[in-house]
Amino acid sequence: PTPLRGYRPGYHFTGEIACYEAAPPVYLNASEEAKDRNAWDLPWHRPKVFLNRARTSRDAWRLAAFPVSEDRACSENFIAIWPPEGWTEHALSAVLNGPVASAFVATHDRYIDTKTATLARVPLPSLDETAQRHLGELVRAYIAQVAEYRASMKRRAEQVEEVEIGSHHDRDV
């Protein structure tokens, strides 16, 4: 969780990721001795989308993608996709989190792990620049609302815990 020499920020565990919600960030070992493939040569500084490699469930909804605008890398637990020409990371994450992409992967990929070749064949809608911008705004607004909700639930849980601790203390007195 803390930066060390030769490490870079990124994501390692998919855990319980949800659509549009990033996994907890960590620092990944990018030192020369840790490199066993050429993944560190990819353009991690460019906007991209990360999604779970292993399906999220046994039903048809298998994908959970989140946009990454910053210079972040990921472990092999994720699949990184750089948006095609004319696409943004936010619009691409919306398509990958949508029902068409999940249905396509569910019907074309019978494996536990999603294959990158299958994802490469997911149909993308034709969106002009205005539609891309609007979709990106909606994704950013959704991400902000979820973050606000999660923060309020955390505050509420802390308040409940304080009340419970206070009531236990009052009984002991």
Side-chain angles (χ1 to χ4, degrees):
T2 57
L4 299 171
R5 183 177 171 88
Y7 284 63
R8 62 179 299 154
Y11 304 99
H12 182 59
F13 298 107
T14 56
E16 297 293 323
I17 67 169
C19 296
Y20 305 105
E21 291 187 78
V26 296
Y27 289 88
L28 303 171
N29 189 350
S31 66
E32 286 301 320
E33 47 283 351
K35 294 179 183 178
D36 64 348
R37 298 189 188 128
N38 63 354
W40 292 111
D41 298 333
L42 294 171
W44 297 108
H45 63 282
R46 289 186 32 223
K48 63 211 144 285
V49 174
F50 290 157
L51 64 143
N52 54 303
R53 180 172 299 281
R55 63 184 178 201
T56 58
S57 67
R58 292 178 186 250
D59 63 15
W61 213 280
R62 299 188 177 193
L63 306 177
F66 58 94
V68 180
S69 303
E70 310 86 20
D71 184 2
R72 298 282 186 270
C74 64
S75 73
E76 64 278 357
N77 296 322
F78 291 91
I79 296 172
I81 301 176
W82 284 264
E85 184 71 33
W87 280 78
T88 67
E89 69 274 24
H90 292 90
L92 183 58
S93 70
V95 171
L96 292 172
N97 282 321
V100 172
S102 275
F104 186 90
V105 170
T107 58
H108 289 82
D109 207 340
R110 303 280 182 215
Y111 303 99
I112 291 174
D113 286 354
T114 302
K115 304 297 179 210
T116 54
T118 304
L119 285 170
R121 296 189 340 258
V122 169
L124 296 178
S126 295
L127 300 175
D128 63 18
E129 188 178 320
T130 302
Q132 285 262 346
R133 189 173 39 256
H134 183 64
L135 188 54
E137 290 168 3
L138 291 171
V139 167
R140 283 188 286 282
Y142 177 81
I143 290 170
Q145 286 181 341
V146 169
E148 185 179 312
Y149 170 76
R150 298 247 187 253
S152 70
M153 293 307 291
K154 182 179 178 186
R155 284 191 304 273
R156 186 170 190 277
E158 290 167 353
Q159 291 168 346
V160 167
E161 186 176 318
E162 287 174 12
V163 168
E164 288 176 355
I165 291 171
S167 66
H168 289 300
H169 178 72
D170 291 344
R171 279 188 241 149
D172 294 341
V173 173

